[in-house]
Amino acid sequence: MAGPSPSPHKPRRKAAAKRAGGNHDSSSSRPITADAHIMKPSFPLAAFLWPARGTTSQWELLPLILMAVGLFRWAAGLWGYSGFEKPPMFGDYEAQRHWMEITTQLPVSQWYFHDLPWWGLDYPPLTAYHSWLCGKIGSLIDPSWFALYTSRGSNDQTLKIFMRGTVVVSEYLIYIPAVVVFVRRFSRLSGVANWTASVALVAILMQPATILIDHVHFQYNTVMLGFVLASMSSMLAGRYLWSAVFFVAALGFKQMALYYAFSVFAYLLGNCLFPRVNVARFIGIATVTAISFAILILPLVLGTFSDVRRGIDARPDLDGPHPPLPLFPWIVNYMDTEAFYYPIVEQMVQMVHRVFPFARGLFEDKVANFWCALNLVVKLKQYPSELLQRAALVATLASIIPPNLILFFRPNKLLLPLAFATTAWGFFLFSYQVHEKSVLLPLMPMTVLLAGKHGLGKDMRAWVGFANLLGCWTMFPLLQRVELRVPYAVLTLLWAYLVGLPPTSLSAYFADGSSLWAQWGTALVHGAFYLAMGMWHVLEMFLKPPADKPDLWVVANVGVGAVGFSLCYLWCLGKLVVESDILPRSWVGKKGKSKTL
């Protein structure tokens, strides 16, 4: 005899729980806290979005999210910018404006040669094309903004509005769509509910470091980061040819995208070889990559050919025979300088020379990476430049090979953010000519972990939040030089509050079900850093450094930051090892955590 039919109310209760963001138990994604009778948000950002937990379509909530994060970006832009009324060079804002000037006012062949001491163009061609487009649009409003020579150092308020607008529009065309699509795909692959993914999306888009650098200090880093995210998103969708196209675009916009190149190569090659060899896929990826690079440089090549035919000199400031280019001075011994193709070779060599500044030394400014920290103990500038270049190469390779070997042999989609973050941390800590703003590159893939399984859980929030707040803190000396203390404090403390992080909350620590030793260890380590960061701010504000040590506080910032970022690298690498299932099963505990970590 058949048993009683199941209650029709049970499936409805499950569906309701799913709409509330609980497609796992409370420990899986951790946007809520559950007891026997009550479900409630466990951190403020989840509380703000709590009324939307029953939303069945992302299109009901997404427009509100995009408007809110856009408002914060525009409000942040009301502050000053890098170089505001700071002669003689006027900072990064002037550099970006100047590139719009030279790309719209000069022949293409002169872009990489013109007046190099005054913010000479030193980014790949896609940045130049972007500057040209923005400059053309701006010239329709006011041609004086980009008049050759006479517009230098302009602080026109209408120009500032236009420049701020170009950052916002560029971000909403490239970066924000890429984040939305990536979060949607990654959360679905990880089994995360729509509402939980929406909470993660807000946390990612409100990341303080990107807003501070691009919308306050002034740059276009999110365009490059958007192309990288689009490449990662294409990998999640199995669209490997598009992944190659988007990554070439990222490299074409900023050479710093090379931080991710090993991971892109490892993942795509791994998918060509495992679980079985796919020659057609390999040939397709290689062909599309080569075509994409060719299309990238085509406008520069055609423009140079056109200038040569019109008798335009790429280096008009030099009289008589041009000296050989510094990158390959011997090239004139093997090539006919009168050949029709020589101007193209000259352009390519000059572009590479400008994009990769090996002549600048191991580092120029004080950055919280290994080399600057080591320089506090051993003065590195006493060693030959060639030796330092080799040391940086060896150390960088040693740090990035392990994560990329894992990604190559385990080309798992869910491992992409961890592998990208670990590799980028390795580059940031050990590579040549690192800038403070380069910390945005490891922070981006580490932050998108919030959209994955357990992404809003306490342990993940604690580490992702620690990396972001430490990254902002290490950029403070850069920001305070241009009087940006207030937006720094507002944006970092606001993000810490929304995500439930110190110094506003301790809710990201002491998760249920995890090892007590791990909980206390994480809390004590992070607490020590948060305490050091807070004390540093107090000392820096009220106590002048000794006359014989004027950089004391910056040096302390470098040392603490380098140690903290090294911990972030080790955490990402450890998580990658565990999640890749590359360890023997006997080494891993019941909950999937390595007994050795």
Side-chain angles (χ1 to χ4, degrees):
M1 184 175 179
S5 60
S7 170
H9 298 289
K10 290 182 180 178
R12 293 178 187 175
R13 286 199 297 269
K14 290 181 180 179
K18 204 164 190 176
R19 285 195 301 271
N23 61 324
H24 303 291
D25 59 36
S26 61
S27 65
S28 64
S29 53
R30 289 284 182 181
I32 56 178
T33 298
D35 58 26
H37 304 288
I38 301 172
M39 299 174 68
K40 60 181 180 179
S42 60
F43 54 95
L45 183 56
F48 287 137
L49 295 178
W50 189 252
R53 67 193 184 281
T55 300
T56 56
S57 171
Q58 64 170 333
W59 300 111
E60 296 181 55
L61 186 57
L62 184 59
L64 298 176
I65 293 174
L66 298 186
M67 286 189 288
V69 299
L71 178 62
F72 274 97
R73 281 158 166 74
W74 192 256
L78 297 175
W79 286 89
Y81 48 79
S82 170
F84 178 65
E85 296 183 344
K86 298 285 185 182
M89 296 302 290
F90 299 99
D92 285 353
Y93 175 90
E94 170 59 20
Q96 302 292 340
R97 188 215 59 80
H98 179 62
W99 295 344
M100 297 178 193
E101 172 191 331
I102 63 176
T103 53
T104 55
Q105 303 298 320
L106 295 175
V108 173
S109 61
Q110 296 179 7
W111 288 359
Y112 283 98
F113 290 96
H114 177 74
D115 197 4
L116 299 182
W118 184 273
W119 297 117
L121 183 61
D122 57 2
Y123 280 148
L126 194 54
T127 285
Y129 308 151
H130 176 263
S131 297
W132 175 86
L133 179 60
C134 292
K136 285 294 185 182
I137 296 172
S139 296
L140 296 176
I141 302 172
D142 189 342
S144 67
W145 291 344
F146 309 111
L148 201 61
Y149 299 114
T150 61
S151 59
R152 293 183 177 183
S154 172
N155 60 2
D156 186 319
Q157 287 300 302
T158 310
L159 172 61
K160 174 188 173 183
I161 294 171
F162 171 77
M163 296 289 284
R164 294 296 197 196
T166 61
V167 178
V168 173
V169 171
S170 298
E171 187 164 326
Y172 269 76
L173 289 175
I174 305 295
Y175 177 71
I176 288 182
V179 173
V180 171
V181 174
F182 179 87
V183 167
R184 182 182 181 185
R185 288 176 176 166
F186 189 60
S187 61
R188 286 184 175 179
L189 281 172
S190 304
V192 174
N194 286 341
W195 177 75
T196 305
S198 295
V199 177
L201 176 64
V202 178
I204 294 166
L205 292 179
M206 287 295 293
Q207 183 190 29
T210 54
I211 298 177
L212 284 168
I213 293 301
D214 278 21
H215 296 277
V216 182
H217 189 270
F218 199 89
Q219 278 200 344
Y220 296 93
N221 293 290
T222 50
V223 176
M224 178 269 292
L225 295 174
F227 282 128
V228 174
L229 265 176
S231 178
M232 295 171 65
S233 184
S234 298
M235 294 177 190
L236 296 181
R239 298 170 181 170
Y240 304 118
L241 301 185
W242 277 111
S243 175
V245 171
F246 285 128
F247 190 68
V248 169
L251 287 171
F253 197 84
K254 283 201 172 187
Q255 60 270 36
M256 289 190 301
L258 284 170
Y259 279 33
Y260 307 115
F262 276 76
S263 295
V264 173
F265 177 77
Y267 182 80
L268 293 180
L269 183 60
N271 271 282
C272 292
L273 299 179
F274 305 108
R276 60 182 179 276
V277 176
N278 191 327
V279 177
R281 178 180 294 171
F282 177 82
I283 294 174
I285 292 173
T287 303
V288 167
T289 301
I291 293 173
S292 299
F293 272 113
I295 293 174
L296 177 67
I297 65 172
L298 184 60
L300 190 63
V301 171
L302 295 178
T304 301
F305 265 131
S306 175
D307 290 347
V308 170
R309 291 185 62 182
R310 291 185 294 162
I312 296 175
D313 189 356
R315 293 191 273 178
D317 52 322
L318 298 177
D319 295 327
H322 293 171
L325 294 169
L327 187 61
F328 301 116
W330 45 264
I331 202 169
V332 295
N333 298 326
Y334 298 92
M335 297 185 66
D336 180 6
T337 57
E338 300 299 324
F340 76 94
Y341 55 80
Y342 182 77
I344 305 303
V345 175
E346 184 181 53
Q347 281 290 328
M348 296 300 105
V349 170
Q350 177 68 357
M351 181 185 68
V352 172
H353 171 67
R354 294 295 301 161
V355 167
F356 298 102
F358 289 109
R360 297 183 188 177
L362 185 61
F363 57 87
E364 289 181 281
D365 211 343
K366 294 178 176 64
V367 184
N369 74 345
F370 173 79
W371 300 115
C372 291
L374 180 62
N375 191 63
L376 303 179
V377 181
V378 180
K379 298 305 176 185
L380 297 176
K381 292 188 178 181
Q382 65 181 317
Y383 296 101
S385 176
E386 294 77 9
L387 176 63
L388 296 177
Q389 289 180 19
R390 293 191 186 99
L393 176 62
V394 171
T396 304
L397 290 175
S399 67
I400 67 174
I401 285 176
N404 288 294
L405 282 178
I406 293 173
L407 193 61
F408 172 69
F409 288 109
R410 295 284 195 277
N412 185 334
K413 297 174 181 179
L414 297 178
L415 299 180
L416 284 170
L418 278 171
F420 274 61
T422 310
T423 303
W425 280 124
F427 267 99
F428 179 83
L429 287 167
F430 299 107
S431 63
Y432 201 84
Q433 263 294 314
V434 173
H435 196 279
E436 305 101 306
K437 297 186 286 287
S438 300
V439 75
L440 295 177
L441 280 85
L443 287 181
M444 184 274 287
M446 194 170 178
T447 305
V448 298
L449 286 169
L450 295 174
K453 187 177 181 181
H454 307 293
L456 296 181
K458 293 189 175 183
D459 181 64
M460 190 72 75
R461 272 194 295 126
W463 277 99
V464 171
F466 170 72
N468 274 277
L469 295 177
L470 182 65
C472 291
W473 180 73
T474 59
M475 291 189 293
F476 177 79
L478 173 72
L479 298 170
Q480 65 91 19
R481 286 202 297 265
V482 287
E483 300 175 0
L484 298 177
R485 292 173 178 264
V486 173
Y488 159 82
V490 170
L491 289 170
T492 52
L493 291 176
L494 173 64
W495 197 76
Y497 165 73
L498 290 175
V499 188
L501 298 168
T504 64
S505 172
L506 296 176
S507 67
Y509 297 90
F510 304 108
D512 296 333
S514 59
S515 167
L516 188 63
W517 286 103
Q519 293 179 49
W520 275 102
T522 301
L524 290 175
V525 170
H526 288 187
F529 277 92
Y530 284 124
L531 181 61
M533 291 156 62
M535 291 179 60
W536 182 91
H537 274 301
V538 173
L539 293 173
E540 182 271 338
M541 184 177 296
F542 296 107
L543 187 62
K544 289 185 178 181
D548 59 334
K549 294 181 177 63
D551 295 329
L552 176 62
W553 305 133
V554 178
V555 166
N557 185 289
V558 166
V560 173
V563 175
F565 291 149
S566 299
L567 293 178
C568 293
Y569 167 81
L570 293 173
W571 181 82
C572 289
L573 181 60
K575 291 286 289 185
L576 179 63
V577 169
V578 172
E579 298 295 331
S580 66
D581 199 29
I582 205 167
L583 293 176
R585 292 186 179 275
S586 59
W587 293 11
V588 181
K590 294 180 180 179
K591 294 187 178 181
K593 295 185 178 181
S594 171
K595 293 179 179 179
T596 62
L597 296 176

